[in-house]
Amino acid sequence: AQSVSQHNHHVILSEAASLELGCNYSYGGTVNLFWYVQYPGQHLQLLLKYFSGDPLVKGIKGFEAEFIKSKFSFNLRKPSVQWSDTAEYFCAVNVKRDDKIIFGKGTRLHILP
Amino acid sequence: DVKVTQSSRYLVKRTGEKVFLECVQDMDHENMFWYRQDPGLGLRLIYFSYDVKMKEKGDIPEGYSVSREKKERFSLILESASTNQTSMYLCASSSGSTAGGLYNEQFFGPGTRLTVL
């Protein structure tokens, strides 16, 4: 069965630390890839997306993600986190053949001031 | 500013009651979705609709039904609520006319936290 794995369920970092959140999926065909973020008390919103082209995509608030097809991965990165990045982050994969979307279980990121 | 609104932020119902969750979007989006969000499980798709009066089952449709009589409104119905349907319910919409297809950027509502006693 198709699945999306977010390896870290809870991450705690200090401000200015570098961030990498892992996302792997288990489907070999064409996919669209997304990272969504949910700040405390706010709606879920799109952080960035990959459909095709340059595998390194840049999103809002200094986030970026790299699609590595051979590793079935779409990891989220930020070189220097801020306290305001405290949120829950969800990776999502759209399996185009089946036109399904699968969300990962989420990673709670807590930034210490 | 694009907006997806849900009729209630918090709802408490009793087992066996019929429950209606309403969602309205003002972006003229073709596609609308209902998810439930549970701790440690992420988001799971219940139903979606790509046009008025059209509906498709998602991954966990059992115990739920939906209605889309107007483009802007998508309702989730729990015919007979059960305690295992206690959850956060999220509505979302997306435009159907982009390269990303059905699951192009989805815009989410604030959620309805449903408790079934």
Side-chain angles (χ1 to χ4, degrees), chain A residues 15-26:
Chain A
E15 274 193 312
S18 64
L19 170 72
E20 181 160 4
L21 300 182
C23 174
N24 285 87
Y25 61 94
S26 64

Side-chain angles (χ1 to χ4, degrees), chain B residues 10-107:
Chain B
Y10 300 93
L11 210 52
V12 180
K13 295 291 182 181
R14 296 204 175 274
T15 302
E17 280 193 81
K18 190 169 186 175
V19 182
F20 292 87
L21 302 183
E22 305 285 338
C23 174
V24 177
Q25 51 96 2
D26 65 0
M27 296 164 281
D28 201 35
H29 281 171
E30 290 80 6
N31 310 312
M32 296 188 74
F33 311 84
W34 275 106
Y35 295 89
R36 62 177 284 176
Q37 183 181 11
D38 298 289
L41 295 179
L43 275 72
R44 292 179 291 166
L45 183 63
I46 305 171
Y47 267 96
F48 65 96
S49 167
Y50 54 86
D51 202 351
V52 175
K53 296 192 184 294
M54 305 302 292
K55 60 184 179 184
E56 295 286 343
K57 293 180 180 179
D59 296 318
I60 51 165
E62 297 79 18
Y64 304 94
S65 62
V66 290
S67 172
R68 193 163 180 205
E69 297 296 319
K70 293 185 177 182
K71 189 176 184 180
E72 67 271 18
R73 188 180 298 269
F74 193 35
S75 303
L76 180 69
I77 303 151
L78 288 66
E79 294 290 340
S80 178
S82 63
T83 55
N84 63 12
Q85 292 179 309
T86 291
S87 186
M88 172 69 86
Y89 290 88
L90 298 180
C91 176
S93 71
S94 73
S95 170
S97 57
T98 66
L102 188 66
Y103 297 105
N104 190 31
E105 177 179 3
Q106 294 178 72
F107 293 86

Side-chain angles (χ1 to χ4, degrees), chain A residues 21-25 33-35 48-50 55 57 65-68 72-76 91-92:
Chain A
L21 300 182
C23 174
N24 285 87
Y25 61 94
L33 300 161
F34 307 85
W35 275 98
L48 47 76
K49 62 188 178 187
Y50 172 81
V57 292
E66 185 174 14
F67 172 47
I68 303 179
F72 303 96
S73 71
F74 190 55
N75 292 354
L76 182 70
C91 179

Side-chain angles (χ1 to χ4, degrees), chain A residues 13-15 82-83 86 110-113:
Chain A
L13 294 172
S14 297
E15 274 193 312
Q82 300 172 303
W83 178 78
T86 293
H110 187 73
I111 305 299
L112 302 173

Side-chain angles (χ1 to χ4, degrees), chain A residues 5-11 87-89 105-109, chain B residues 40:
Chain A
S5 296
Q6 291 184 240
H7 314 294
N8 312 103
H9 299 298
H10 201 173
V11 173
E88 190 162 16
Y89 294 80
K105 295 180 179 181
T107 297
R108 285 189 182 275
L109 176 65

